[in-house]
Amino acid sequence: MNNKGPRDQYLIERYRRFLPVSDDTPVISLAEGSTPLLPAPRLGEQLGLELYFKLEGLNPTGSFKDRGMTLAVSKGIEEGAGAVICASTGNTSASAAAYAGRAGIRCIVIIPEGKITAGKLAQAITHGAEVLSVAGNFDQALNIVRAIVDKYPVQLVNSINPYRLEGQKTGAFEIVDSLGKAPDYLSIPVGNAGNINAYWKGFNEYREAGLLDSLPHMIGFQAAGAAPLVLGHPVDNPETIATAIRIGNPARGDQALDAAAASGGLIEAVTDDEIIAAYQLVASSEGTFCEPASAASLAGVIKKQSEGYFEEGDMVVCVLTGHGLKDPDTAISKGREVTHVAADLDEVVKILAL
Ligand code: F0G
């Protein structure tokens, strides 16, 4: 962490002493991490909370996946991988494609047909991944990928890969580095349940290193139509507008429930309507455009606040996991109407009622 200079832009260099890397590990980086922790004073005041957003959409490929991918691909190269593979609801595939391209290795991504947003698909294709779209959902795609890596020499880069979580735990480090302590609550969307575990690991490691006194309560939110951890059983046909977390059988579900419980937190569900309301609110009142799945974290905080869950003035960090530009279709279909008008000054002025 004293390593100033261009390499300090690489997450692996900044947090080297907490990561499973050696001098022999080739560092494949796109200058990820170091994302802003943006105070949200207007929403915070409305909610009676000290509210912050961790803007993970400002990573190189527009989501938090880059933190894990720099490590998974670097370790893959160190271990001799010539190809990486993942199942994905979109962001993992975009990130894997970018890092594999940077490393000069093959990238295979398996996505659920028709459920990948335009931005994410555009990224995977353009970064050079081989994209297979299966007539099924994420859980089925992941089963196929698991079977492939059991048999063929291809490196898995889903968050089942422990290096993914090692990289993603740095999000927690950055929050503590920035605040000088942990928040009272860390609110985070839950899909395949990797990231909530990664943050919990990060906070715990900082505490063990003497850099943190008290741990945050971890509060995770699934979409109501894809909420296996809330229901207590897998969901065969998960459905939600937040396609990033459209997952019915999370790979790290039990571990996530344990983390939430150990922290004195919870995992609950928010409806698509609550997600979209939060998505539009954060964009219109705090200037922050995140994708729908990311807004589950804020939707959850709004819901819990209305139930009297928090104390006045509690410090809450919502992790906004991916950029709004990933999903332009939802933004446009759910957003305000555009008014069409002739190219005529009088007409324009009349409509604006100026
Ligand atoms: N937010 C976004 C924007 C995501 O893309 C994901 C997961 C999550 C939250 C949930 O994180 O799975 O660690 O609980 N996206 C994966 C993908 C599944 O394939 O891109 P999680």
Side-chain angles (χ1 to χ4, degrees), residues 64-65 88-92 189-195 244-245 247 291 321-322:
F64 72 95
K65 305 288 178 176
S88 181
T89 58
N91 281 322
T92 299
V190 175
N192 210 26
N195 212 24
I245 53 173
I247 294 176
E291 65 172 286
T321 45

Side-chain angles (χ1 to χ4, degrees), residues 307-339:
E307 295 170 4
Y309 178 71
F310 303 107
E311 304 271 328
E312 178 78 25
D314 273 347
M315 187 190 283
V316 180
V317 172
C318 292
V319 184
L320 298 185
T321 45
H323 202 286
L325 291 173
K326 294 269 190 178
D327 187 1
D329 296 328
T330 298
I332 292 167
S333 70
K334 296 288 173 189
R336 295 175 69 162
E337 292 264 322
V338 173
T339 308

Side-chain angles (χ1 to χ4, degrees), residues 14-80:
R14 287 196 302 282
Y15 291 111
R16 184 169 271 275
R17 77 180 173 104
F18 292 97
L19 298 173
V21 290
S22 73
D23 291 345
D24 295 332
T25 311
V27 174
I28 309 298
S29 172
L30 292 169
E32 54 291 305
S34 294
T35 59
L37 184 67
L38 186 74
R42 289 179 66 197
L43 277 179
E45 196 180 318
Q46 281 171 33
L47 293 168
L49 299 170
E50 186 178 347
L51 186 66
Y52 295 85
F53 294 121
K54 181 68 172 158
L55 302 187
E56 289 294 276
L58 297 186
N59 274 295
T61 76
S63 86
F64 72 95
K65 305 288 178 176
D66 297 340
R67 295 182 184 276
M69 209 54 74
T70 183
L71 212 72
V73 172
S74 296
K75 293 299 287 186
I77 299 285
E78 182 178 3
E79 291 160 15

Side-chain angles (χ1 to χ4, degrees), residues 112-115 136-139 222-228 231 235-249 270-273 275:
E113 183 86 47
K115 297 293 178 184
N137 59 34
F138 169 85
D139 305 286
Q222 300 200 291
L231 297 171
V235 174
D236 286 342
N237 296 305
E239 263 322 328
T240 168
I241 195 162
T243 54
I245 53 173
R246 185 176 171 269
I247 294 176
N249 192 12
V270 282
T271 65
D272 278 8
D273 285 350
I275 289 173

